[in-house]
Amino acid sequence: MIELAFVACLSAAPAACEKRSLYYADDLSPTACVLRAQPELAKWIFDHPRYHVASWSCRFRPASEQDA
């Protein structure tokens, strides 16, 4: 499973940041995740207008987290 991990910060308080994740359930490569990331993050920002994305990355979700 691939995770799109990102840091979202409040626009009114840039020091108030949270780690967030979106997960792709389909068998996706890290390259495909990078290609899909910006549209996915744009949708997230549209739904959460008080935030901006400070950073993001694609990575494999560790097996230990998949079982939780």
Side-chain angles (χ1 to χ4, degrees):
M1 184 176 287
I2 295 287
E3 174 185 18
L4 171 56
F6 61 101
V7 176
C9 303
L10 284 170
S11 295
C17 299
E18 303 172 6
K19 292 181 181 178
R20 301 282 185 128
S21 294
L22 299 173
Y23 298 100
Y24 294 106
D26 51 347
D27 191 22
L28 194 69
S29 71
T31 302
C33 175
V34 169
L35 294 173
R36 289 187 183 182
Q38 289 186 347
E40 290 293 334
L41 293 169
K43 288 180 204 173
W44 190 91
I45 290 169
F46 183 80
D47 292 337
H48 302 85
R50 295 176 34 206
Y51 289 86
H52 72 275
V53 173
S55 64
W56 62 270
S57 65
C58 291
R59 62 184 184 183
F60 285 104
R61 185 174 179 198
S64 60
E65 291 181 16
Q66 290 182 27
D67 298 333

